[in-house]
PDB file of all heavy atoms in Angstrom:
ATOM      1  N   LEU H 270    -195.991-153.419-109.959  1.00 97.00           N
ATOM      2  CA  LEU H 270    -196.260-154.091-111.268  1.00 97.00           C
ATOM      3  C   LEU H 270    -195.077-154.902-111.706  1.00 97.00           C
ATOM      4  O   LEU H 270    -195.195-156.013-112.176  1.00 97.00           O
ATOM      5  CB  LEU H 270    -196.644-153.051-112.310  1.00 97.00           C
ATOM      6  CG  LEU H 270    -196.811-153.531-113.736  1.00 97.00           C
ATOM      7  CD1 LEU H 270    -197.976-154.543-113.758  1.00 97.00           C
ATOM      8  CD2 LEU H 270    -197.068-152.403-114.733  1.00 97.00           C
ATOM      9  N   LEU H 271    -193.887-154.309-111.532  1.00 96.00           N
ATOM     10  CA  LEU H 271    -192.641-155.055-111.957  1.00 96.00           C
ATOM     11  C   LEU H 271    -192.481-156.278-111.103  1.00 96.00           C
ATOM     12  O   LEU H 271    -192.009-157.349-111.592  1.00 96.00           O
ATOM     13  CB  LEU H 271    -191.420-154.132-111.780  1.00 96.00           C
ATOM     14  CG  LEU H 271    -191.373-152.915-112.733  1.00 96.00           C
ATOM     15  CD1 LEU H 271    -190.201-152.021-112.350  1.00 96.00           C
ATOM     16  CD2 LEU H 271    -191.312-153.349-114.177  1.00 96.00           C
ATOM     17  N   ARG H 272    -192.844-156.212-109.820  1.00 94.00           N
ATOM     18  CA  ARG H 272    -192.761-157.464-109.000  1.00 94.00           C
ATOM     19  C   ARG H 272    -193.803-158.457-109.476  1.00 94.00           C
ATOM     20  O   ARG H 272    -193.491-159.671-109.465  1.00 94.00           O
ATOM     21  CB  ARG H 272    -193.051-157.111-107.511  1.00 94.00           C
ATOM     22  CG  ARG H 272    -191.835-156.415-106.831  1.00 94.00           C
ATOM     23  CD  ARG H 272    -192.070-156.307-105.320  1.00 94.00           C
ATOM     24  NE  ARG H 272    -193.002-155.245-104.950  1.00 94.00           N
ATOM     25  CZ  ARG H 272    -194.133-155.425-104.376  1.00 94.00           C
ATOM     26  NH1 ARG H 272    -194.521-156.659-104.018  1.00 94.00           N
ATOM     27  NH2 ARG H 272    -194.972-154.407-104.071  1.00 94.00           N
ATOM     28  N   ALA H 273    -195.030-158.031-109.772  1.00 95.00           N
ATOM     29  CA  ALA H 273    -196.035-158.939-110.252  1.00 95.00           C
ATOM     30  C   ALA H 273    -195.603-159.615-111.571  1.00 95.00           C
ATOM     31  O   ALA H 273    -196.021-160.737-111.794  1.00 95.00           O
ATOM     32  CB  ALA H 273    -197.358-158.191-110.444  1.00 95.00           C
ATOM     33  N   TRP H 274    -194.848-158.908-112.397  1.00 95.00           N
ATOM     34  CA  TRP H 274    -194.310-159.525-113.626  1.00 95.00           C
ATOM     35  C   TRP H 274    -193.199-160.487-113.363  1.00 95.00           C
ATOM     36  O   TRP H 274    -192.712-161.117-114.286  1.00 95.00           O
ATOM     37  CB  TRP H 274    -193.818-158.405-114.540  1.00 95.00           C
ATOM     38  CG  TRP H 274    -194.977-157.715-115.271  1.00 95.00           C
ATOM     39  CD1 TRP H 274    -196.272-158.076-115.335  1.00 95.00           C
ATOM     40  CD2 TRP H 274    -194.872-156.527-116.094  1.00 95.00           C
ATOM     41  NE1 TRP H 274    -196.987-157.217-116.113  1.00 95.00           N
ATOM     42  CE2 TRP H 274    -196.148-156.231-116.589  1.00 95.00           C
ATOM     43  CE3 TRP H 274    -193.819-155.696-116.396  1.00 95.00           C
ATOM     44  CZ2 TRP H 274    -196.399-155.170-117.353  1.00 95.00           C
ATOM     45  CZ3 TRP H 274    -194.031-154.565-117.235  1.00 95.00           C
ATOM     46  CH2 TRP H 274    -195.343-154.305-117.670  1.00 95.00           C
ATOM     47  N   ARG H 275    -192.717-160.558-112.095  1.00 93.00           N
ATOM     48  CA  ARG H 275    -191.648-161.518-111.712  1.00 93.00           C
ATOM     49  C   ARG H 275    -190.310-161.208-112.351  1.00 93.00           C
ATOM     50  O   ARG H 275    -189.577-162.128-112.704  1.00 93.00           O
ATOM     51  CB  ARG H 275    -192.122-162.954-111.968  1.00 93.00           C
ATOM     52  CG  ARG H 275    -193.324-163.282-111.197  1.00 93.00           C
ATOM     53  CD  ARG H 275    -193.790-164.708-111.404  1.00 93.00           C
ATOM     54  NE  ARG H 275    -194.962-165.023-110.620  1.00 93.00           N
ATOM     55  CZ  ARG H 275    -195.710-166.078-110.702  1.00 93.00           C
ATOM     56  NH1 ARG H 275    -195.380-167.015-111.600  1.00 93.00           N
ATOM     57  NH2 ARG H 275    -196.755-166.287-109.955  1.00 93.00           N
ATOM     58  N   LEU H 276    -189.940-159.935-112.421  1.00 90.00           N
ATOM     59  CA  LEU H 276    -188.652-159.593-112.912  1.00 90.00           C
ATOM     60  C   LEU H 276    -187.618-159.992-111.840  1.00 90.00           C
ATOM     61  O   LEU H 276    -187.804-159.695-110.635  1.00 90.00           O
ATOM     62  CB  LEU H 276    -188.573-158.092-113.156  1.00 90.00           C
ATOM     63  CG  LEU H 276    -188.822-157.697-114.608  1.00 90.00           C
ATOM     64  CD1 LEU H 276    -190.280-157.876-114.967  1.00 90.00           C
ATOM     65  CD2 LEU H 276    -188.354-156.324-114.881  1.00 90.00           C
ATOM     66  N   PRO H 277    -186.471-160.577-112.269  1.00 85.00           N
ATOM     67  CA  PRO H 277    -185.462-160.983-111.258  1.00 85.00           C
ATOM     68  C   PRO H 277    -184.758-159.804-110.649  1.00 85.00           C
ATOM     69  O   PRO H 277    -184.380-159.881-109.512  1.00 85.00           O
ATOM     70  CB  PRO H 277    -184.492-161.853-112.107  1.00 85.00           C
ATOM     71  CG  PRO H 277    -185.240-162.229-113.359  1.00 85.00           C
ATOM     72  CD  PRO H 277    -186.198-161.094-113.631  1.00 85.00           C
ATOM     73  N   ASN H 278    -184.566-158.702-111.361  1.00 85.00           N
ATOM     74  CA  ASN H 278    -183.807-157.601-110.822  1.00 85.00           C
ATOM     75  C   ASN H 278    -184.695-156.323-110.960  1.00 85.00           C
ATOM     76  O   ASN H 278    -184.691-155.690-111.953  1.00 85.00           O
ATOM     77  CB  ASN H 278    -182.472-157.381-111.605  1.00 85.00           C
ATOM     78  CG  ASN H 278    -181.578-156.423-110.841  1.00 85.00           C
ATOM     79  OD1 ASN H 278    -182.042-155.584-110.136  1.00 85.00           O
ATOM     80  ND2 ASN H 278    -180.295-156.597-111.022  1.00 85.00           N
ATOM     81  N   ILE H 279    -185.316-156.042-109.828  1.00 91.00           N
ATOM     82  CA  ILE H 279    -186.226-154.853-109.848  1.00 91.00           C
ATOM     83  C   ILE H 279    -185.479-153.537-109.901  1.00 91.00           C
ATOM     84  O   ILE H 279    -185.919-152.582-110.519  1.00 91.00           O
ATOM     85  CB  ILE H 279    -187.149-154.895-108.615  1.00 91.00           C
ATOM     86  CG1 ILE H 279    -187.905-156.197-108.517  1.00 91.00           C
ATOM     87  CG2 ILE H 279    -188.051-153.703-108.598  1.00 91.00           C
ATOM     88  CD1 ILE H 279    -188.921-156.413-109.621  1.00 91.00           C
ATOM     89  N   SER H 280    -184.309-153.471-109.269  1.00 91.00           N
ATOM     90  CA  SER H 280    -183.577-152.263-109.220  1.00 91.00           C
ATOM     91  C   SER H 280    -183.257-151.690-110.572  1.00 91.00           C
ATOM     92  O   SER H 280    -183.437-150.497-110.877  1.00 91.00           O
ATOM     93  CB  SER H 280    -182.246-152.444-108.442  1.00 91.00           C
ATOM     94  OG  SER H 280    -182.475-152.778-107.062  1.00 91.00           O
ATOM     95  N   VAL H 281    -182.777-152.551-111.466  1.00 91.00           N
ATOM     96  CA  VAL H 281    -182.390-152.072-112.801  1.00 91.00           C
ATOM     97  C   VAL H 281    -183.683-151.681-113.554  1.00 91.00           C
ATOM     98  O   VAL H 281    -183.747-150.609-114.184  1.00 91.00           O
ATOM     99  CB  VAL H 281    -181.697-153.246-113.559  1.00 91.00           C
ATOM    100  CG1 VAL H 281    -181.518-152.859-115.040  1.00 91.00           C
ATOM    101  CG2 VAL H 281    -180.330-153.521-112.957  1.00 91.00           C
TER     102      VAL H 281
END
Side-chain angles (χ1 to χ4, degrees):
L270 177 61
L271 295 174
R272 284 189 285 120
W274 281 350
R275 299 180 179 172
L276 265 72
N278 192 331
I279 302 296
S280 294
V281 173

